[in-house]
Amino acid sequence: MSKPYTPPMPLTWWNKNTAYRLFMLRELSSVFVALFVLELLCFVSQVGQGEEAMDQFIKSLDNPLYLLYHVIVLAFALLHSITWFNLTPKVMVIRLGEEKVPDVLVAGSNYVACLVVSLLLWWIVKG
Amino acid sequence: MTEIIEHDVLIVGGGGAGLRAAIAIAEADPSLSIAVVSKVYPMRSHTVSAEGGAAAVIRPEDSLEDHIYDTISGADWLADQDAVEAFVNEAPREMTQLEHWGCPWSRNPDGTVAVRPFGGMKIERTWFAADKTGFHMLHALFQTSLKYEPVKRYDEWFATQLLVEDGRCVGVTAIELRTGQVRGIVAGAVIICTGGAGRLWPFTTNAAIKTGDGMAMAYRAGIALKDMEFVQYHPTGLPGTGILITEASRGEGGVLINKDGHRYLQDYDLGKPLDVSDPEHPQKRTMELGPRDKLSQCFIKEQQAGRTFEGEYGHYVHLDVTHLGEKKINKKIPFVRELARNYVGIDPVYDPIPVRPVLHYVMGGIHTDINGATSMPGLFAVGECACVNINGANRLGSNSLTELLVFGARAGQEAVNFAAAQSKPQTGPLEAQVRDEQQRIAGQFINKTGGTERLVTLRTEMNEAMESGVGIYRDAAGTQAACDKMAELQDRFQHVSLDDHSLSFNTELTAALELENMLDIARASSLAANVRQESRGAHQRTDFPPPRDDDNWLKHSLAFRTDDGPRIEHLDVTITRWPPAKRTYGS
Amino acid sequence: MPDEKITLEILRYHPETDEEPSFQTFEVPYHEDWVVLDAINWIKEHVDGTLTYRWSCRMGVCGSCGMMVNGTPRLTCAVFLNEFHPEPIKIEPLAYFPVERDLVTVMDSFMEKLQSVKPWLIRNEDEEKPLEEGEYLQSPAELASYKQFSMCINCMLCYAACPVTGLESEFVGPAAIALGMRYNRDSRDQGREQRQEVIASHDAIWNCTFVGECSVVCPKDVDPAGAIQQAKVESTIDWYTSLLPWTKK
């Protein structure tokens, strides 16, 4: 006779191993990135309403809880970027004849591009 | 409940030969329903483990005549020349067909299929997909077979017996493993493609499933097993596990050295060695590219002379490929590197690989004609389980993969013709045969308790007797001892009892049925080895040393089953244009 | 040490007597050069003939002997006991598959998924090359572009590593999608459009959340995760291209 047993999928499946946990964190990171984008949009809108509104917005952020929140957001943003940068070689396969361009180069080019853009922004902001 | 399933053609075995036959039938007549019964999922079949390549003439400077001559001389003139000729002639078309089905053959820079040198072949004619040729061929065939709707697979069904009606084969009984039910599968024609029987021996490259089930089924139904004394030891297997290190490693330039660092093959009439840096190295039909039987025999001579290494798993020599360099090794023989690193902890880029001869292939098998037809109407056989015979006393490396294709296609076509010309089998009377088989299996194994023998004991004793009696070198006493042992083990097999008395996926039951099959074949093989009083190819009798004796033994042996053990008869070899001559290498 | 032992905790399930699986512990002689499969074979031969599992080639190419070894999908013929000794080893059937008995899983849906991607060479009807004209030409670079995806042995470790296969039973899954991509990438093939129906569907690539573990556990470096992401990129480009006014509808 045949009576297959189908193992149940526990609700805590994502806590089964480190790889799954890291994956969930990566997924979660997008929430924080999105929240920060919303905050940035608010900020832009305040800037549009004049210097006073902008100052008030900045002042409203001036407390330890917000600082902590921003540290967390930064950590998730970094996790998000790093994990995705490291995954690019899987998505983007570049071949030169029979040889595949090494993963390190593909992933590395992301980091380099990120650094260049960041420096450029910093240069613009600092004027 | 007895259930009979009906198809037009039934194939037993889902490896390279079975799948090729299935596709041939589906293409010949799309209206036919085709059953493929296999004890494993097709992609698990042992074709998957073949490494080096498949031979077919493709280069303009090569010729069919040369491939034929290489095969016949490699076979020590025991091959049937009409069969070899048909095989060689049809090989290029079949190989091209597989290319059209997507097999990822390795390529030359201009995009044509690349070929490599192989043992006993005069010129490069072995097609390859790196060193996983069998794997790629099997998967290409399996995946291609999926597009043919008439092909209905019965995966993990274990065939136990031929169904015979008025002397004609009309199907098989098979156990559906997941339910344990015995069913009858009836068809107008049956093709057995169940592979070889390497598991008769303890030290083998063969997978666990290579237990000669199809050979035993045919043998018990009264069909002869042909040339069962001829078994091939591959010269390079890993000590301990017996994992195959492909001949392609020598085709690409690897060399064999003994413990004194000497390329010992030069001492055994296999030609003069060229330095590995010589552009002519490796030379075809010379030294490391000699045939497998001779290379394995040389190893034994070296061992007897005390010039082999000795390790935990017996004697060994070194296969050195270090001079090929990492790049070539990665490109041409990456699997060799993977296997050596995983299983003996040696990276062949830097160190030589320990190797020793290991049982690899059974040249003999179910006696068939040039179309795969057996002496029983409606029954065909193809592949290692069959003996057409193109391999004679020694198969050349890379001929067997091509054999699956050429004779798979031939037998498929023949089976279509046969089934079309016959009336459909009557299923009614067969129900009783199916019921009997279910009762036999239940009575003898599943419901039986209180037996005194364990499977592993019998299997180990069988393995030991085959190794010592029917190995690379044989004599009258050793082969006789093996015959006696098999008779004894067959008696003791009646007292086997299993731990597993259930119907669901009972793998102890299948192991028992496999052992029962192996004992039958082992007995035929050892008697055939005992009867042939000469040395030829892979059959070396120390009491009848070379040269071979064409006057008395240029003939096939046929083993028939009787209740008192096998009976051996003989059959002339078909000689057409290539009269027996001296078999020379390295000149 | 000849009398050293190692403990195997094996998940057993017998459909005729059990409602659900439970662990059974076996003591096995420890040999440094034994793989986990050797230990399991030893148990079956010497201790308990009812232990049920699949195996065949014992050289990592037939794909039969995949099991969960201490929670990770592995080919048991390629994992050595010395990786764990003296700690015990926990053996379970491949995760997310129904269990037929003990370590034997039900493969039916996997086989259907494999077939669903049309894993065979497809040529346009009038563009079949006659056999007499020889092989299709394919440069070594063209071969290299799909070779990696052709190395899959169907061992299903990737399915057992992928939580999506556990959550969504219809998910076509890593090996099957990679196999579809193997043919899409083959310069001889013209069947991509036919395969897109399945591959670009919700049940295939768009169900994948890129956990990436399929590629981590793959014993043959096929990189199914890569295949799936590449298919996503290509399907996205297809969609945008279809919006362009000059694209033929």
Side-chain angles (χ1 to χ4, degrees):
Chain A
M1 67 179 262
S2 175
K3 191 189 79 182
Y5 172 80
T6 305
M9 189 71 177
L11 280 173
T12 53
W13 64 265
W14 50 270
N15 199 23
K16 186 173 165 184
N17 57 43
T18 315
Y20 287 6
R21 283 189 287 271
L22 195 68
F23 160 74
M24 285 309 271
L25 281 179
R26 194 187 77 205
E27 295 289 281
L28 192 64
S29 68
S30 55
V31 174
F32 288 90
V33 172
L35 283 175
F36 187 73
V37 169
L38 281 177
E39 188 184 322
L40 200 65
L41 283 173
C42 288
F43 179 65
V44 170
S45 126
Q46 297 295 318
V47 169
Q49 288 171 30
E51 202 171 325
E52 202 180 321
M54 185 183 90
D55 282 346
Q56 206 166 356
F57 187 79
I58 291 175
K59 207 165 167 223
S60 72
L61 295 181
D62 192 6
N63 77 54
L65 279 180
Y66 259 114
L67 188 68
L68 181 66
Y69 166 71
H70 279 126
V71 169
I72 294 171
V73 167
L74 179 68
F76 271 111
L78 283 174
L79 176 75
H80 192 89
S81 311
I82 290 169
T83 48
W84 282 110
F85 284 177
N86 291 347
L87 288 171
T88 26
K90 291 207 178 302
V91 183
M92 204 166 68
V93 175
I94 304 167
R95 293 191 164 277
L96 296 173
E98 286 180 66
E99 304 301 325
K100 198 174 136 187
V101 174
D103 289 1
V104 204
L105 283 184
V106 179
S109 63
N110 279 292
Y111 286 97
V112 171
C114 178
L115 193 70
V116 168
V117 171
S118 302
L119 284 174
L120 196 70
L121 279 173
W122 184 75
W123 178 72
I124 292 170
V125 170
K126 283 288 157 183
Chain B
M1 181 196 72
T2 308
E3 194 178 316
I4 300 266
I5 302 163
E6 289 179 77
H7 286 279
D8 292 312
V9 185
L10 163 64
I11 295 162
V12 186
L19 293 169
R20 180 65 191 91
I23 297 171
I25 298 161
E27 297 217 313
D29 184 349
S31 71
L32 296 179
S33 80
I34 303 151
V36 178
V37 173
S38 171
K39 66 176 177 178
V40 291
Y41 280 89
M43 63 278 187
R44 314 295 187 219
S45 309
H46 189 60
T47 308
V48 84
S49 298
E51 297 175 16
V57 172
I58 182 173
R59 282 201 171 180
E61 65 270 31
D62 196 0
S63 78
L64 298 171
E65 287 282 312
D66 282 346
H67 190 186
I68 295 169
Y69 186 81
D70 285 344
T71 302
I72 290 171
S73 57
D76 219 348
W77 271 271
L78 197 74
D80 288 318
Q81 299 184 355
D82 54 342
V84 175
E85 222 172 327
F87 163 71
V88 168
N89 288 341
E90 289 164 32
R93 185 184 168 88
E94 277 297 322
M95 295 294 287
T96 307
Q97 175 66 77
L98 204 61
E99 195 279 333
H100 285 213
W101 285 336
C103 189
W105 297 116
S106 292
R107 302 285 174 155
N108 296 312
D110 67 358
T112 53
V113 167
V115 282
R116 67 169 32 134
F118 236 67
M121 300 280 191
K122 190 183 170 191
I123 188 171
E124 295 86 342
R125 65 168 71 98
T126 297
W127 302 36
F128 61 101
D131 54 354
K132 283 200 175 172
T133 309
F135 161 79
H136 284 297
M137 285 177 62
L138 180 69
H139 280 249
L141 284 166
F142 170 60
Q143 288 156 14
T144 301
S145 79
L146 293 175
K147 84 177 167 186
Y148 296 97
E149 277 177 25
V151 179
K152 160 91 175 135
R153 291 200 327 272
Y154 296 84
D155 298 331
E156 300 192 324
W157 285 51
F158 189 105
T160 61
Q161 203 190 77
L162 297 180
L163 288 172
V164 180
E165 194 175 72
D166 302 330
R168 170 187 163 199
C169 183
V170 291
V172 297
T173 52
I175 306 170
E176 182 187 20
L177 286 188
R178 73 173 71 172
T179 61
Q181 293 302 312
V182 176
R183 319 243 191 237
I185 305 178
V186 173
V190 178
I191 310 176
I192 298 182
C193 309
T194 51
R199 284 275 157 173
L200 265 57
W201 287 263
F203 185 63
T204 172
T205 61
N206 283 203
I209 54 175
K210 296 283 298 284
T211 51
D213 308 325
M215 290 182 189
M217 275 197 303
Y219 183 55
R220 283 199 288 265
I223 296 148
L225 296 181
K226 184 163 68 184
D227 294 338
M228 288 303 287
E229 62 272 40
F230 295 98
V231 296
Q232 177 165 84
Y233 277 76
H234 194 291
T236 58
L238 295 180
T241 56
I243 287 172
L244 172 67
I245 297 299
T246 172
E247 188 162 308
S249 52
R250 284 173 280 127
E252 297 296 340
V255 295
L256 287 168
I257 47 184
N258 66 15
K259 74 171 183 183
D260 305 322
H262 176 62
R263 285 174 66 188
Y264 59 90
L265 295 177
Q266 61 189 291
D267 305 334
Y268 299 97
D269 215 13
L270 282 163
K272 293 274 162 284
L274 288 178
D275 190 81
V276 293
S277 60
D278 192 301
E280 295 291 311
H281 171 80
Q283 266 185 309
K284 267 67 84 178
R285 284 183 68 112
T286 299
M287 289 293 291
E288 283 84 4
L289 291 183
R292 290 175 178 172
D293 57 337
K294 286 191 181 284
L295 265 58
S296 293
Q297 289 152 19
C298 294
F299 173 91
I300 300 293
K301 302 271 188 204
E302 281 295 287
Q303 181 183 329
Q304 285 163 351
R307 291 192 291 265
T308 48
F309 300 93
E310 208 173 340
E312 194 184 342
Y313 296 104
H315 292 260
Y316 63 91
V317 290
H318 275 155
L319 170 62
D320 189 356
V321 296
T322 52
H323 53 279
L324 302 182
E326 184 169 8
K327 205 172 160 195
K328 186 167 182 182
I329 289 172
N330 283 347
K331 194 175 156 93
K332 295 289 184 66
I333 47 173
F335 196 35
V336 166
R337 191 178 186 193
E338 182 187 326
L339 292 170
R341 281 160 88 165
N342 287 354
Y343 291 98
V344 286
I346 278 170
D347 187 342
V349 171
Y350 307 106
D351 295 298
I353 312 167
V355 291
R356 53 164 299 146
V358 51
L359 195 287
H360 185 55
Y361 188 89
V362 178
M363 264 79 74
I366 302 166
H367 172 38
T368 77
D369 70 7
I370 197 167
N371 294 314
T374 70
S375 56
M376 177 181 281
L379 184 68
F380 302 79
V382 185
E384 194 181 344
C385 70
C387 184
V388 175
N389 160 346
I390 65 161
N391 299 313
N394 172 65
R395 175 177 73 83
L396 287 192
S398 77
N399 267 352
S400 66
L401 284 176
T402 315
E403 180 181 356
L404 305 178
L405 302 176
V406 170
F407 292 99
R410 273 183 166 247
Q413 185 59 56
E414 280 299 299
V416 169
N417 297 346
F418 179 88
Q422 303 289 322
S423 58
K424 276 208 154 196
Q426 298 295 313
T427 56
L430 297 171
E431 281 178 17
Q433 286 189 46
V434 179
R435 254 195 315 274
D436 288 350
E437 183 66 351
Q438 174 113 38
Q439 276 160 11
R440 176 184 81 91
I441 289 167
Q444 196 179 341
F445 301 107
I446 296 178
N447 300 333
K448 183 172 146 194
T449 50
T452 49
E453 297 283 357
R454 249 190 119 67
L455 291 179
V456 63
T457 320
L458 302 186
R459 189 167 56 230
T460 307
E461 288 184 34
M462 171 193 73
N463 284 162
E464 282 165 2
M466 290 305 281
E467 181 82 343
S468 61
V470 198
I472 295 176
Y473 283 98
R474 299 100 183 255
D475 59 25
T479 48
Q480 187 56 52
C483 293
D484 298 343
K485 186 73 189 176
M486 296 317 150
E488 174 207 317
L489 291 174
Q490 285 191 315
D491 284 339
R492 285 166 59 191
F493 186 81
Q494 303 310 317
H495 305 290
V496 157
S497 75
L498 307 182
D499 295 343
D500 198 340
H501 301 289
S502 54
L503 291 171
S504 321
F505 220 98
N506 189 335
T507 50
E508 201 190 17
L509 168 65
T510 52
L513 294 168
E514 287 170 341
L515 180 60
E516 190 178 32
N517 291 337
M518 287 194 285
L519 288 173
D520 253 337
I521 303 167
R523 202 164 167 188
S525 182
S526 35
L527 183 63
N530 180 265
V531 169
R532 183 175 288 273
Q533 296 183 334
E534 66 155 352
S535 288
R536 179 188 299 266
H539 175 73
Q540 293 293 310
R541 285 280 297 256
T542 52
D543 45 354
F544 296 94
R548 62 173 199 250
D549 177 4
D550 282 342
D551 292 339
N552 294 303
W553 292 103
L554 185 59
K555 52 192 179 187
H556 303 296
S557 69
L558 298 175
F560 291 90
R561 190 178 186 283
T562 75
D563 288 339
D564 309 318
R567 180 185 79 243
I568 303 286
E569 295 179 8
H570 294 99
L571 179 73
D572 285 341
V573 176
T574 307
I575 304 285
T576 57
R577 291 193 284 133
W578 296 270
K582 193 168 182 305
R583 187 180 177 220
T584 52
Y585 291 94
S587 50
Chain C
M1 296 287 276
D3 41 5
E4 263 190 283
K5 303 264 189 214
I6 187 164
T7 304
L8 264 62
E9 294 164 16
I10 302 182
L11 195 64
R12 307 290 306 266
Y13 169 69
H14 197 311
E16 293 170 28
T17 53
D18 300 343
E19 282 309 311
E20 57 179 37
S22 57
F23 280 100
Q24 187 177 354
T25 302
F26 296 94
E27 293 280 307
V28 176
Y30 173 69
H31 297 266
E32 202 179 44
D33 55 357
W34 269 18
V35 291
V36 170
L37 179 63
D38 291 326
I40 296 174
N41 278 337
W42 186 87
I43 295 170
K44 184 163 183 84
E45 287 179 349
H46 297 281
V47 183
D48 185 351
T50 68
L51 185 61
T52 304
Y53 52 96
R54 296 186 177 105
W55 74 289
S56 183
C57 78
R58 56 82 178 88
M59 57 188 282
V61 70
C62 79
S64 306
C65 69
M67 300 171 200
M68 304 301 281
V69 179
N70 282 355
T72 306
R74 307 279 296 266
L75 292 179
T76 50
C77 71
V79 195
F80 286 81
L81 296 180
N82 66 16
E83 193 181 320
F84 308 96
H85 185 73
E87 299 301 315
I89 308 175
K90 193 178 261 192
I91 311 286
E92 298 161 84
L94 284 180
Y96 312 132
F97 285 95
V99 180
E100 190 70 56
R101 180 176 176 186
D102 290 347
L103 301 164
V104 172
T105 54
V106 181
M107 292 172 58
D108 298 356
S109 86
F110 172 76
M111 297 302 284
E112 283 163 22
K113 288 167 184 176
L114 266 193
Q115 186 163 13
S116 75
V117 300
K118 302 195 175 184
W120 50 81
L121 205 75
I122 297 174
R123 297 286 296 181
N124 295 338
E125 230 165 67
D126 46 353
E127 291 179 55
E128 293 262 9
K129 187 172 182 174
L131 283 180
E132 299 70 43
E133 290 174 25
E135 73 268 47
Y136 293 106
L137 296 184
Q138 183 167 67
S139 72
E142 286 169 330
L143 171 66
S145 71
Y146 71 89
K147 189 72 192 280
Q148 184 180 21
F149 298 153
S150 76
M151 302 303 280
C152 172
I153 60 173
N154 301 159
C155 66
M156 311 187 298
L157 299 194
C158 52
Y159 286 69
C162 172
V164 180
T165 62
L167 294 163
E168 307 277 344
S169 61
E170 297 304 306
F171 178 41
V172 175
I177 300 175
L179 184 61
M181 286 297 279
R182 170 250 176 274
Y183 282 97
N184 284 348
R185 286 268 189 277
D186 192 322
S187 59
R188 298 167 290 183
D189 183 80
Q190 300 171 321
R192 178 172 179 271
E193 235 171 273
Q194 292 187 39
R195 283 184 207 102
Q196 277 301 86
E197 254 176 68
V198 171
I199 289 180
S201 72
H202 176 74
D203 283 338
I205 54 177
W206 302 115
N207 230 328
C208 165
T209 53
F210 205 175
V211 179
E213 279 298 284
C214 53
S215 292
V216 176
V217 301
C218 177
K220 299 291 148 186
D221 297 322
V222 173
D223 194 9
I228 297 175
Q229 309 324 309
Q230 290 163 39
K232 284 180 186 170
V233 172
E234 287 165 19
S235 300
T236 309
I237 293 173
D238 282 354
W239 187 76
Y240 279 111
T241 313
S242 73
L243 297 182
L244 297 173
W246 55 83
T247 303
K248 276 193 206 149
K249 294 289 188 297

